[in-house]
Each structure stands twice: as C-alpha cells, then as structure tokens.
Amino acid sequence: MADISIDSIAERYDVAVIGSGAAGLGAAIFAALEGARVLLIERTEYIGGTSALSGGTVWAPGTETGRAANPDDSREKVSAFLDSAVGNFGNRDMREAFLDAAPEAIATLQARTQVQFRPYPRHPDYEWDHPNATLNGRAIEPVPFDTRAMGAARNMIRPPIPEFTVLGGMNIDRVDIGHLLNRYKSPASFLHVARIVTRYMRDRALHGRHTRVVMGGALVARLLASALDLGVDILRSTEVTALTETGGEVTGLRLRAGARTAPYPWTAASSSPPAGSGAPPAAVPPICPTPCPPKAPRPPAIPARCTIWPSASARPMGRGTTRAPSGRPAPPAAAPMAAQRSSRISCSTVRSPAPSASTSRAAAS
Ligand SMILES: Cc1cc2nc3c(=O)[nH]c(=O)nc-3n(C[C@H](O)[C@H](O)[C@H](O)COP(=O)(O)OP(=O)(O)OC[C@H]3O[C@@H](n4cnc5c(N)ncnc54)[C@H](O)[C@@H]3O)c2cc1C
C-alpha cells in the first residue's frame, strides 16, 4: 500500500493531485494510466471527500453502459437538451468537450481499472421538462464493491453518512431498498435482505464496519483501489497550503501536516512528459461575459408520462414554477406537503397544464 507520510516523500513525481474526491482520484488514475508518477495529497485522514458521502451517480451521456438502458439516446439529443437546460449560463465548448470525452473516459475506467458502472433502469435527467430530456441512459451508478480485497487500505475510505445506512452502518443502495420494502412479499427479496444483513453482521464482528460499499462509497473505493493498483502514492492528513510559482510555472507545494510544515520542491520525475501527453490544452474561454445573457425561454411543458419518481419530488418551487414528475399533475401551490406525499402516482393520461407566465423560464429568470 502506497500510503506515505510527509517525511517519506523521497521521490520526485510527474503529477501532484490535491484532494482525494472523485475528481482528484480520477485525475490521479488517468495520469498514472498515461505512465506518470503520481502523488495524491489529501488534507483529512480519509480518502473520498464529499464524493464518498454522495449517491455516486455519474451523469455521463453516451456510455456503453447507459446505452443498455436507453439505446435510442444520441449525442445530438444530449447536446440539444443541454443547450436548452443550460442555455448561455455555461460555456458550450466545454459542454461539447465533456460530451466528447465522457464515453471514452468511462470506457477506459471500465476496461483498465476496478471502476465499474451499471445503468439505472430509471433516472430522469434533472431539468427533465426540457426537450430531449430522458428517463434513463445518461446517469450511471457504480457497482457495489467488496473492500475486503483492499486489506487495510479500506480503512482509508471516508465512512458514509448515517442517512445512507440502516442498522447503525449497513450500506444500502436503491436495489437493496427495493428488496427491503418487499421483504415479506417476495422470497427473492427476503433472501436478498437475509444475505446482506448476515454479511453486515459478520463484517461488524470481523472488520468493525460494513465491507460491502455502495453508491459514493463504492465509487471512491473502486477509484482508490485502482489508484493503488497503478502505484499512486497517497499522502493523507496533509494540506496543500500554497503553490510555489516561478516564472508563471508551479515549481513547488507548501504542505502542512498537523504542526509540521514543509516545502515540496517540484521537479518532474522524468525530463520528458508522460507517454500520451500531447500539446498543452487550449486556454478555456470564460464561462460567459458579465453579466450572463438571459437563458433561452423555457419551452412548453412536455406531456406527462408515467414514472416511478416519488411523490415528494412534486412540490412547488420557490420561484413559482413546479417540477412535477411525469405521470402526475403538478400539485396545487397551496397543497400541504403531507398531502402531496400521501398522494399516489396515477398512470392515467394526465397532462401538464399549459405553460403560463408563471411557469415560463423566461419569466423566472
Ligand atoms: C449527500 C450528497 C449526495 C450527492 N449525490 C451526488 C450524486 O449522486 N451525483 C453527483 O454527481 N453528485 C452528487 N453530489 C455532489 C458531489 O458529491 C460533489 O459534487 C462531488 O463529490 C465533488 O467531488 P470533488 O472530487 O470535486 O470534491 P470532494 O469529493 O469534496 O473532494 C475534495 C477533497 O479535497 C480535499 N482538499 C480540499 N482542499 C485541500 C487542500 N488544500 N489540500 C489537500 N486536500 C484538500 C478535501 O478534504 C476532499 O477530500 C452529492 C452531494 C451530497 C452531499
């Protein structure tokens, strides 16, 4: 395990990555895959940041995994959806670069590392009522992961938040929740629940925590296991307090571990750039001029369809619009939340009301 301390940084690295969330671990993995010597620096004792506490859902349109859930989706539809949903509030070139790179990045992770994803049968896009929004295929989730193979390194992973666990620390995801709710109705669900609860009890006795991680925990565990496989050195409980620059280039880092501070002189391990690295990327244009131009007017609400989105999502928004999920009418603005929660989805051909001034994005923005 390449878990090092501030006093044992003897090597020179090609790449230093600050922060061990999904972004940092992803950067470290891709640099290591390109042949770079990588140092990952994390200021807390745990690896994973907010990413480890998250749902772990990755919105990455165009992946093979996503296509299994929605073969009809296309790059053009995603692009048009983002143009409508984001409008001028984001840089279009960056969006297009993301759409170009995401499928390949996910494919590389799945082919060359322990990071594995599965499709969501149902996961509507946020901002679902724009043209070309989908109910599935763009959001993928990490496959649950068994951390026992990681040995002591599993203790580096940030524990989940209590809200995402049951029985004082048992990790569950949406598949498990479905089985938990059906445990007395379906023998398969009963068996699934019996299996995961037994495993959890055994893990608590033997390892002190659940070793089957899900959602953000699975994403971070898979990323961390892969980074360690690739020889990434990990420096925890150490904060990068400053970058040292010389002539416009970063030439060192200032590190702090407890009361200890140390400069880390930056000298690349190899004089040549890592294999595969080409010309430096073009400068990224600014997001938008100040102030941002207004977004395109919101299109008319799309006709309702039946979904399984929970009823609590259908609530009036502060700005006067209503995000009613497909398949159910928008609740009246004054409806108490308890009444909305207790209502059930109707699959009848209920249609969203015609757009009015108060539901138009143009008015809202
Ligand atoms: C409950 C919850 C659920 C969520 N679910 C989803 C979801 O399903 N899908 C989704 O896309 N998003 C989700 N999000 C949002 C998502 O978690 C974050 O946007 C994402 O994790 C950010 O990743 P990151 O790698 O940029 O940062 P983080 O995961 O926060 O990692 C940053 C790391 O950098 C370290 N660090 C910071 N400064 C320094 C320094 N100077 N030196 C050394 N280390 C430093 C931090 O300690 C931290 O570990 C969710 C968020 C929450 C709270």
Side-chain angles (χ1 to χ4, degrees), residues 183-258:
R183 65 195 182 283
Y184 298 130
K185 297 181 195 147
S186 143
S189 291
F190 185 83
L191 276 178
H192 180 94
V193 171
R195 220 170 21 242
I196 59 173
V197 171
T198 308
R199 158 83 181 267
Y200 168 60
M201 300 303 228
R202 199 185 56 207
D203 281 353
R204 281 296 292 259
L206 295 179
H207 307 290
R209 67 192 270 193
H210 202 184
T211 58
R212 173 186 177 266
V213 287
V214 299
M215 302 196 294
L219 181 64
V220 164
R222 286 180 173 279
L223 287 164
L224 174 61
S226 306
L228 292 172
D229 288 347
L230 290 162
V232 172
D233 280 348
I234 296 185
L235 184 57
R236 290 180 294 147
S237 303
T238 304
E239 182 176 13
V240 176
T241 54
L243 305 178
T244 322
E245 285 186 44
T246 313
E249 285 190 6
V250 176
T251 50
L253 306 172
R254 205 126 196 109
L255 305 178
R256 179 171 59 203

Side-chain angles (χ1 to χ4, degrees), residues 66-91:
R67 258 197 286 279
N70 184 356
D72 297 333
D73 201 14
S74 71
R75 165 66 197 262
E76 291 67 35
K77 287 181 185 172
V78 183
S79 204
F81 164 72
L82 286 177
D83 285 346
S84 176
V86 181
N88 294 332
F89 272 71
N91 181 282

Side-chain angles (χ1 to χ4, degrees), residues 18-23 41-44 48-51 54-57 238-240:
I18 305 168
S20 68
I41 307 161
E42 166 56 48
R43 75 175 160 200
T44 70
T50 315
S51 308
S54 76
T57 302
T238 304
E239 182 176 13
V240 176

Side-chain angles (χ1 to χ4, degrees), residues 46-47 52 147 150 153-159 209 217 220-221 224:
Y46 289 119
I47 296 297
T147 58
M150 296 175 71
R154 70 170 168 269
N155 296 322
M156 289 196 243
I157 302 165
R158 179 173 291 285
R209 67 192 270 193
V220 164
L224 174 61

Side-chain angles (χ1 to χ4, degrees), residues 26-336:
I29 285 174
F30 278 95
L33 284 172
E34 295 277 303
R37 284 287 292 139
V38 183
L39 175 67
L40 180 78
I41 307 161
E42 166 56 48
R43 75 175 160 200
T44 70
E45 68 180 293
Y46 289 119
I47 296 297
T50 315
S51 308
L53 312 178
S54 76
T57 302
V58 176
W59 197 82
T63 62
E64 284 296 322
T65 307
R67 258 197 286 279
N70 184 356
D72 297 333
D73 201 14
S74 71
R75 165 66 197 262
E76 291 67 35
K77 287 181 185 172
V78 183
S79 204
F81 164 72
L82 286 177
D83 285 346
S84 176
V86 181
N88 294 332
F89 272 71
N91 181 282
R92 192 168 194 280
D93 291 344
M94 285 182 69
R95 289 206 297 272
E96 292 296 306
F98 165 70
L99 295 180
D100 285 340
E104 193 189 330
I106 298 293
T108 302
L109 286 173
Q110 304 219 100
R112 298 179 63 187
T113 76
Q114 299 197 50
V115 182
Q116 300 298 316
F117 294 98
R118 64 186 180 189
Y120 275 105
R122 280 278 181 276
H123 196 298
D125 290 327
Y126 290 166
E127 303 279 335
W128 66 274
D129 50 350
H130 284 268
N132 297 296
T134 58
L135 289 176
N136 50 18
R138 295 174 186 169
I140 55 178
E141 67 174 340
V143 176
F145 187 63
D146 187 340
T147 58
R148 284 176 296 189
M150 296 175 71
R154 70 170 168 269
N155 296 322
M156 289 196 243
I157 302 165
R158 179 173 291 285
I161 49 176
E163 287 82 352
F164 283 179
T165 65
V166 294
L167 302 177
M170 184 171 109
N171 303 314
I172 51 167
D173 64 9
R174 68 180 167 82
V175 175
D176 303 325
I177 291 169
H179 286 301
L180 279 163
L181 294 173
N182 277 322
R183 65 195 182 283
Y184 298 130
K185 297 181 195 147
S186 143
S189 291
F190 185 83
L191 276 178
H192 180 94
V193 171
R195 220 170 21 242
I196 59 173
V197 171
T198 308
R199 158 83 181 267
Y200 168 60
M201 300 303 228
R202 199 185 56 207
D203 281 353
R204 281 296 292 259
L206 295 179
H207 307 290
R209 67 192 270 193
H210 202 184
T211 58
R212 173 186 177 266
V213 287
V214 299
M215 302 196 294
L219 181 64
V220 164
R222 286 180 173 279
L223 287 164
L224 174 61
S226 306
L228 292 172
D229 288 347
L230 290 162
V232 172
D233 280 348
I234 296 185
L235 184 57
R236 290 180 294 147
S237 303
T238 304
E239 182 176 13
V240 176
T241 54
L243 305 178
T244 322
E245 285 186 44
T246 313
E249 285 190 6
V250 176
T251 50
L253 306 172
R254 205 126 196 109
L255 305 178
R256 179 171 59 203
R260 185 116 159 55
T261 61
Y264 175 64
W266 187 259
T267 314
S270 50
S271 51
S272 54
S277 58
V284 178
I287 294 291
C288 61
T290 310
C292 286
K295 287 187 186 182
R298 194 176 197 116
I302 58 172
R305 288 187 297 266
C306 182
T307 77
I308 58 166
W309 207 241
S311 52
S313 299
R315 53 177 176 261
M317 308 294 280
R319 64 184 183 203
T321 59
T322 304
R323 298 278 171 80
S326 314
R328 46 178 302 142

